């Protein structure tokens, strides 16, 4: 039997793929692929129309920076490491470079492919605008920036302090955004000069801060977060094993949960409000709502398909956030306190429905807002109102039924 | 004295074909602290799970404050608070928010909740950690949070499984002081522990569980007598009695 770390990596990757495949099947049966294809077709049609009737003051560089920066900067690393590896793999630390090489290869190829796709999506827009830099060079430099970011992200993982790690990551994202802007708007020699200077500065910064040769705890924590994200995503479509919740304090939004009045009938509402706000589910909802707002701004600004395309974008994100919110029904169903607290099971179900309804309404309103502001200004009031009415209908009439179904089919219910 | 916990003819376990507990009969009276002792695998945690209603008995009846779980689930649960062996906290709540949730779940009046939570945070030296999440607490601190939650509810019965695991000496002292205080106020404590010297000092009665059977119960003198220790020998420590009762099946051989 091959006991090398290389074989271990391959086995773990295979186990993950095998473990995920049933959930992917459930996801495929949920109707999401159909909607995604519809969205893709609508997006391509809308994009074609936008290219044909390009607004005079379209912010080409800004859109390029917003699109490219996250893909170039975000450099995840799947290592499949777990807590138990502190006992079993740490003694084999000398062999770990071979293990990590596999992880780097796996992630770098996937991330480079994503950068390539985003470049291909953005370049037609860029060519319709200023086109200051040749497209081939944009692709080459985007990939180069991706590689630099991957190296930088690894150095950040090695840093001993959490504070410096976060600060430098923020700086790296900022520097990448400036590099993307320079690449799209200025002469190439200036971009090259900027990259050389910034790479040197970051190298100095990374070299001067204390770091671990192999940041075991950081890698294990990162892997755990990634696993939880997958599970939180899959839980919207299938019954997945419960991973303990990844928690973020999120003070900028958790203050909302403090408004739950003190009282016996609100105990579960209090718990579920914090669960939603502070776990990975809350993060996914926030990101989806954010993406929905940005997409809404772009589609409403362009008046996609006389406003109706824009309304569809709004409904799609309201629906997606609703689908994801469904995971809330699975939270705490294995908790012993559900059976120990002197509260009827119905109060838990009511709490889930209440938190779900309020959140879905807030999300729907936030996602609709750009459409509500930008569409009437272009004389497209009807699609804006239709998007609002259908969003509210979905949240108040369709979602409660789906949530009740999710709660009723809870296999743990007595 | 009126029993708060009544267990009659309890037979139970994970599988009806292989019961872990065999015909358990015991009571815990109001204001009493009773220690449940036994070796690993004796059935202590299983017995506790049956009392909590997390497992269904194959036979027998459990009443808390006169209520059964099947007939009056809310009254049954309202009358008990549980401290598990391993802290079971919500990762997304801070220490203070756990206390608030417990106050809400047990219907503690808000001003009373404010007063009790402040006092518990202070007594368990947890005031500086009131805003900390469960994942940022040491195991001992997590256990303290569990204990504080149980004490905040002030129920008729405290079911405590291995309360001293991971607690520092100050935490153990605070817990024992509070348990004495609540028993003086009329609440009952049903506590499982391996720290026999502490159990002996604080509990008024003991239940010795071995291989799912109660092999002795009563006061220290009763347990010693069952273990075959005569009162006049003067060797009446719970540890010695326990050893005689359970080591290698004791002089009694196998109990089933």
């Amino acid at each position: 039997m091959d006991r090398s770390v290389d074989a271990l990596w391959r086995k773990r990757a295979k186990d993950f793929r095998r473990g995920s495949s049933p959930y992917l099947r459930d996801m495929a049966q949920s109707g999401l692929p159909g909607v995604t294809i519809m969205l893709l077709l609508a997006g391509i049609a809308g994009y074609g129309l936008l290219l044909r009737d390009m607004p005079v003051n379209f912010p080409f560089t800004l859109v390029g920076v917003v699109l490219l920066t996250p893909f170039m900067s975000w450099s995840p690393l799947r290592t499949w490491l777990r807590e138990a590896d502190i006992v079993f793999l740490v003694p084999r630390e000398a062999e770990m470079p071979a293990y990590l090489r596999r992880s780097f290869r796996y992630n770098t190829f996937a991330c480079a492919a994503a950068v390539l796709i985003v470049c291909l999506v953005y370049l037609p827009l860029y060519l319709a605008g200023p086109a200051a830099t040749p497209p081939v060079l944009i692709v080459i430099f985007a990939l180069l920036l991706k590689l630099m970011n991957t190296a930088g992200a690894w150095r950040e993982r090695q840093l001993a302090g959490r504070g410096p790690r976060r600060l430098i990551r923020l700086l790296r994202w900022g520097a990448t955004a400036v590099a993307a802007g320079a690449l799209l708007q200025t002469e190439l020699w200036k971009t090259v000069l900027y990259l050389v200077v910034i790479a040197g500065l970051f190298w100095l910064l990374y070299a001067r801060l204390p770091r671990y040769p192999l940041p075991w705890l950081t890698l294990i924590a990162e892997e755990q977060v990634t696993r939880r994200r997958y599970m939180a995503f899959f839980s919207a479509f299938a019954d997945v094993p419960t991973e303990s919740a990844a928690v973020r304090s999120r003070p900028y939004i958790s203050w909302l949960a403090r408004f739950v009045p003190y009282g016996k009938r609100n105990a579960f509402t209090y718990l579920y409000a914090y669960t939603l706000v502070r776990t990975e589910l809350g993060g996914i909802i926030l990101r989806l709502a954010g993406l929905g707002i940005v997409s809404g701004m772009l589609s409403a600004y362009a008046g996609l398909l006389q406003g109706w395309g824009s309304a569809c974008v709004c409904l799609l994100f309201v629906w997606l956030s609703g689908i994801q919110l469904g995971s809330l029904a699975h939270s705490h169903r294995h908790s012993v306190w559900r059976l120990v607290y002197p509260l009827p099971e119905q109060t838990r179900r009511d709490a889930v429905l209440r938190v779900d309804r309020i959140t879905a309404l807030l999300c729907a309103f936030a996602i609709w807002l750009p459409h509500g502001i930008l569409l009437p200004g272009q004389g497209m009031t009807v699609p804006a109102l239709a998007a609002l009415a259908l969003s509210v209908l979905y949240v108040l009439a369709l979602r409660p039924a789906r949530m009740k179904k999710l709660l009723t089919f809870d296999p743990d219910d007595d | 004295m009126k029993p708060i916990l009544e267990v009659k003819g309890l037979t139970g376990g994970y599988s009806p074909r292989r019961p872990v507990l065999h015909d358990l009969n015991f009571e815990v009276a109001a204001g009493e602290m009773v220690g449940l002792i036994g070796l690993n695998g004796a059935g202590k945690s299983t017995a506790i799970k049956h009392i909590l209603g997390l497992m269904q008995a194959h036979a027998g009846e459990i009443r808390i404050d006169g209520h059964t779980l099947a007939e009056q689930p809310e009254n049954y649960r309202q009358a008990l608070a549980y401290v598990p062996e391993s802290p079971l906290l919500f990762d997304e709540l801070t220490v203070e928010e756990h206390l608030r949730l417990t106050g809400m779940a047990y219907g503690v009046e808000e001003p009373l909740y404010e007063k009790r939570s402040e006092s518990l945070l202070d007594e368990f030296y947890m005031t500086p950690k009131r805003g900390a999440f469960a994942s940022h607490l040491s195991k001992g601190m997590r256990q303290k949070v569990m204990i504080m939650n149980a004490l905040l509810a002030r129920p008729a019965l405290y079911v405590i499984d291995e309360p001293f695991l991971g607690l520092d000496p100050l935490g153990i002292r605070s817990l024992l002081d509070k348990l004495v205080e609540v028993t003086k106020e009329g609440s009952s404590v049903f506590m499982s522990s391996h720290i026999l010297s502490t159990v002996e000092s604080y509990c008024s009665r003991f239940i010795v569980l071995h291989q799912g059977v109660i092999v002795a119960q009563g006061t220290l003198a009763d347990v010693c007598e069952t273990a075959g220790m005569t009162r006049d020998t003067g060797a009446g420590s719970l540890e010695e009695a326990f050893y005689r009762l359970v080591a290698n099946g004791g002089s009694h051989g196998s109990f089933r």
Side-chain angles (χ1 to χ4, degrees):
Chain A
M1 191 180 162
D2 189 356
R3 291 186 184 279
S4 67
V5 287
D6 197 57
L8 180 69
W9 191 98
R10 276 183 275 129
K11 185 188 173 305
R12 288 179 169 187
K14 194 176 160 191
D15 287 348
F16 177 77
R17 279 197 300 275
R18 195 180 290 163
S20 306
S21 59
Y23 306 132
L24 290 172
R25 207 167 38 240
D26 286 330
M27 204 177 79
Q29 287 163 357
S30 72
L32 185 71
V35 175
T36 311
I37 290 168
M38 267 171 50
L39 174 78
L40 212 61
L41 292 175
I44 290 168
Y47 194 39
L49 286 175
L50 180 70
L51 288 175
R52 205 180 58 193
D53 309 315
M54 189 59 73
V56 186
N57 298 320
F58 192 84
F60 294 97
T61 308
L62 183 67
V63 169
V65 170
V66 168
L67 261 177
L68 288 169
T69 305
F71 286 91
M72 293 192 300
S73 307
W74 187 52
S75 305
L77 189 67
R78 287 227 70 175
T79 55
W80 325 108
L81 292 178
R82 289 192 170 243
E83 286 271 341
D85 290 329
I86 293 173
V87 178
F88 299 105
L89 269 187
V90 168
R92 300 175 71 182
E93 190 171 311
E95 302 168 51
M96 286 306 281
Y99 184 98
L100 288 173
R101 259 197 301 278
R102 280 235 165 228
S103 288
F104 277 117
R105 219 177 301 154
Y106 175 81
N107 287 281
T108 308
F109 278 127
C111 288
V115 168
L116 212 57
I117 291 169
V118 173
C119 282
L120 290 178
V121 169
Y122 173 67
L123 281 175
L125 189 71
Y126 183 65
L127 292 174
T133 313
V136 180
L137 286 178
I138 287 183
V139 173
I140 291 170
F141 272 84
L143 290 173
L144 178 69
L145 272 163
K146 177 74 245 175
L147 274 178
M148 289 167 79
N149 269 287
T150 305
W154 171 249
R155 282 295 201 181
E156 282 153 27
R157 287 183 184 95
Q158 287 184 299
L159 294 181
R162 191 188 290 177
R165 196 183 309 148
R166 286 182 176 168
L167 183 69
I168 293 180
R169 186 182 303 152
L170 196 70
L171 282 174
R172 176 167 60 81
W173 277 62
T176 307
V178 175
L183 181 64
L184 299 174
Q185 204 161 315
T186 62
E187 292 93 339
L188 201 59
W189 69 268
K190 285 182 184 168
T191 309
V192 173
L193 186 67
Y194 171 77
L195 284 180
V196 170
V197 171
I198 209 76
L201 285 175
F202 269 88
W203 183 79
L204 279 176
L205 206 57
Y206 291 134
R208 279 174 179 276
L209 290 165
R211 64 175 194 265
Y212 303 108
L214 213 158
W216 286 97
L217 296 180
T218 310
L219 293 177
I220 289 169
E222 184 177 351
E223 179 60 30
Q224 199 174 21
V225 168
T226 312
R227 219 168 34 242
R228 280 175 183 146
R229 276 187 189 147
Y230 271 102
M231 288 305 157
F233 176 70
F234 288 142
S235 70
F237 310 98
D239 189 19
V240 298
T242 317
E243 293 261 347
S244 61
V247 169
R248 294 270 189 278
S249 169
R250 301 205 176 100
Y252 54 89
I253 191 134
S254 64
W255 57 271
L256 282 170
R258 280 185 229 136
F259 284 104
V260 178
Y262 184 91
K264 193 164 179 164
R265 63 181 288 273
N266 294 322
F268 276 124
T269 308
Y270 182 74
L271 173 63
Y272 276 100
Y274 276 116
T275 301
L276 176 67
V277 163
R278 287 184 176 150
T279 59
E280 188 49 38
L281 176 60
I284 293 176
I285 297 292
L286 282 172
R287 285 191 288 273
L288 258 179
L291 196 63
I293 291 168
V294 172
S295 308
M297 282 164 72
L298 291 175
S299 61
Y301 180 81
L304 198 64
L305 299 176
Q306 281 78 48
W308 291 106
S310 170
C312 285
V313 169
C314 170
L315 287 174
L316 179 89
F317 278 96
V318 170
W319 177 75
L320 280 177
S321 57
I323 289 277
Q324 203 58 58
L325 259 177
S327 312
L328 193 64
H330 302 310
S331 302
H332 305 309
R333 64 180 187 176
H334 300 296
S335 168
V336 71
W337 302 113
R338 181 188 144 191
L339 300 171
V340 173
Y341 284 151
L343 297 166
E345 174 60 11
Q346 192 55 44
T347 58
R348 187 184 80 90
R349 294 179 186 193
D350 292 345
V352 174
L353 291 173
R354 194 176 305 143
V355 173
D356 173 79
R357 190 168 54 239
I358 293 170
T359 313
L361 266 179
L362 285 174
C363 278
F365 182 70
I367 292 167
W368 173 81
L369 209 57
H371 305 268
I373 293 170
L374 296 173
L375 287 180
Q378 302 170 61
M380 299 168 187
T381 311
V382 178
L385 290 177
L388 179 65
L390 287 171
S391 298
V392 172
L393 187 75
Y394 170 70
V395 171
L396 295 183
L398 300 178
R399 275 209 57 67
R402 176 181 147 76
M403 287 303 280
K404 276 179 192 160
K405 200 172 152 195
L406 281 173
L407 287 163
T408 312
F409 283 102
D410 188 335
D412 289 350
D413 281 349
D414 300 325
Chain B
M1 216 183 287
K2 179 189 154 207
I4 293 294
L5 171 66
E6 296 168 83
V7 176
K8 286 182 194 163
L10 173 66
T11 296
Y14 291 92
S15 158
R17 282 183 296 176
R18 292 188 63 192
V20 175
L21 306 172
H22 306 271
D23 193 29
L24 305 190
N25 289 282
F26 61 89
E27 290 181 353
V28 179
E32 199 178 23
M33 200 185 306
V34 173
L36 176 68
I37 56 176
L39 297 176
N40 294 331
K44 301 185 299 294
S45 293
T46 310
I48 286 175
K49 281 179 189 160
H50 278 85
I51 293 169
L52 294 173
L54 302 178
M55 288 173 76
Q56 279 194 341
H58 306 161
E61 187 183 71
I62 302 169
R63 283 184 182 274
I64 297 180
D65 215 7
H67 309 291
T68 64
L69 182 64
E71 288 161 12
Q72 295 120 328
E74 271 190 68
N75 292 340
Y76 183 96
R77 287 175 175 154
Q78 184 76 40
L80 81 89
Y82 169 51
V83 179
E85 183 181 354
S86 308
L88 300 169
L89 296 170
F90 295 109
D91 288 334
E92 61 270 44
L93 297 186
T94 64
V95 172
E96 204 167 21
E97 287 158 3
H98 271 97
L99 291 171
R100 191 173 175 85
L101 176 66
T102 304
M104 288 165 97
Y106 281 84
V108 180
E109 298 278 326
E110 196 168 4
L112 205 54
Y113 148 74
E114 303 277 2
K115 197 175 147 207
R116 278 187 197 162
S117 60
E118 286 304 323
S119 145
L120 285 166
L121 284 165
D122 186 44
E123 284 167 53
F124 283 88
Y125 305 94
M126 288 292 284
T127 308
K129 293 281 177 186
R130 64 194 305 159
F133 287 103
S135 55
H136 299 155
L137 298 175
S138 68
K139 192 186 173 219
M141 285 183 182
R142 290 162 67 90
Q143 188 67 351
K144 281 184 186 175
V145 178
M146 290 275 82
I147 293 164
M148 286 155 61
N149 276 282
L151 290 166
L152 182 96
R154 293 289 162 104
L157 173 70
Y158 292 84
V159 178
I160 308 182
D161 196 0
E162 290 293 350
F164 309 120
L165 279 182
L167 281 190
D168 58 34
L170 287 178
I172 293 176
R173 171 63 72 86
S174 304
L175 169 63
L176 289 168
D177 288 350
K178 287 305 283 188
L179 292 182
V180 169
E181 187 186 313
V182 296
T183 49
K184 279 182 183 160
E185 287 169 5
S187 295
S188 310
V189 176
F190 184 64
M191 175 169 71
S192 142
S193 176
H194 290 302
I195 317 287
L196 297 185
S197 55
T198 309
V199 173
E200 184 181 330
S201 306
Y202 283 83
C203 294
S204 50
R205 287 200 304 118
F206 314 92
I207 296 168
V208 184
L209 198 62
H210 187 56
Q211 295 173 0
V213 177
I214 294 178
V215 293
Q217 70 169 309
T219 60
L220 181 60
D222 296 333
V223 173
C224 288
E225 204 171 320
T226 313
M229 298 157 69
T230 51
R231 283 165 197 259
D232 44 304
T233 57
S237 81
L238 183 63
E239 195 172 325
E240 180 61 27
F242 180 73
Y243 178 76
R244 289 189 185 208
L245 283 163
V246 302
N248 300 317
S251 56
H252 304 81
S254 176
F255 289 92
R256 279 185 292 122

